[in-house]
Amino acid sequence: MPDLAEAGSISVEEYLAGEAVAPVRHEYVAGEVFAMAGATEEHATIAGNVFALLRAHVRGSPCRVYIADMKLRVAPASAFFCPDVFVTCDTRDAAEPLAKRHARVIIEVLSESTEGYDRGAKFGDYRRLESLEEYVLVDSRSRSCEVFRRRPEGWLLDPVPENGRLVLQSIGFECPLDALYEDVVFVQTEAADTA
């Protein structure tokens, strides 16, 4: 199969058919396909921690938690994304095996290569989901977490204090920031070593 990222503009149907056999994940935005990069240990550990915490919280409820391999379709943007973690509580998503459509919470783990996109264009596309109530950015390079909440007047930023608690009002969840960063060891940079 040709590399989807080199295929140029393709249809949604071509994208989904290619993804069914592709050895790596891709995101799709308005006919363009982008290969997903691998994750660092810190990134993978944080995403795993978030998934485990949220999965335990929603157990027994109509909500479901998905990790990076499940696609999220943002139809108004003609896009399919692979969020690091997301929660849907909409029963219509149970009938969608390939891609969910009604995320209530999306969590992205920031890295140097994705931070600008996750804060900018991708967040712009996510905001087009009527179901989305909270968007969380967790840094993989330092202890930093931000929650954006949908309000009638727009999106409100609520940073989590370094020793504070992550609160997700839309699903009644909270945990200490320490739980997100459990088993994460930050790699010191050369600049920090010379300081």
Side-chain angles (χ1 to χ4, degrees):
M1 182 186 116
D3 183 355
L4 286 176
E6 297 176 3
S9 183
I10 65 172
S11 69
V12 166
E13 293 76 18
E14 291 169 317
Y15 164 72
L16 292 173
E19 280 293 279
V21 296
V24 296
R25 298 178 298 130
H26 298 84
E27 291 188 331
Y28 175 91
V29 181
E32 293 186 63
V33 177
F34 304 92
M36 300 298 296
T40 64
E41 180 177 345
E42 297 84 5
H43 186 287
T45 301
I46 293 165
N49 289 343
V50 170
F51 175 82
L53 291 162
L54 291 176
R55 175 66 185 107
H57 177 71
V58 303
R59 185 172 279 123
S61 80
C63 298
R64 296 291 175 264
V65 182
Y66 296 97
I67 203 156
D69 286 337
M70 177 54 71
K71 292 178 181 7
L72 176 62
R73 184 171 194 173
V74 182
S78 185
F80 288 82
F81 295 109
C82 302
D84 288 312
V85 180
F86 71 95
V87 179
T88 175
C89 301
D90 193 303
T91 56
R92 293 173 290 179
D93 277 337
E96 299 282 344
L98 300 178
K100 307 305 176 185
R101 296 173 180 253
H102 307 284
R104 183 178 290 182
V105 179
I106 298 174
I107 298 99
E108 292 287 7
V109 179
L110 300 176
S111 65
E112 190 171 336
S113 63
T114 65
E115 182 171 6
Y117 184 49
D118 288 342
R119 289 184 180 283
K122 187 182 256 189
F123 185 27
D125 287 338
Y126 284 157
R127 287 192 308 257
R128 297 174 76 177
L129 288 172
E130 291 181 11
S131 60
L132 186 63
E133 295 181 37
E134 293 171 305
Y135 181 54
V136 182
L137 298 174
V138 183
D139 202 316
S140 68
R141 298 152 299 168
S142 66
R143 287 175 53 95
S144 176
C145 180
E146 300 167 311
V147 180
F148 293 86
R149 289 191 176 84
R150 186 187 298 268
R151 296 289 184 246
E153 63 276 9
W155 286 85
L156 177 69
L157 169 61
D158 187 8
V160 179
E162 185 165 337
N163 292 314
R165 298 179 70 78
L166 169 63
V167 176
L168 299 176
Q169 298 169 351
S170 65
I171 58 171
F173 171 83
E174 68 176 88
C175 73
L177 195 59
D178 287 344
L180 302 182
Y181 288 100
E182 183 178 353
D183 296 328
V184 174
V185 178
F186 295 108
V187 178
Q188 291 187 342
T189 63
E190 286 183 33
D193 291 340
T194 59

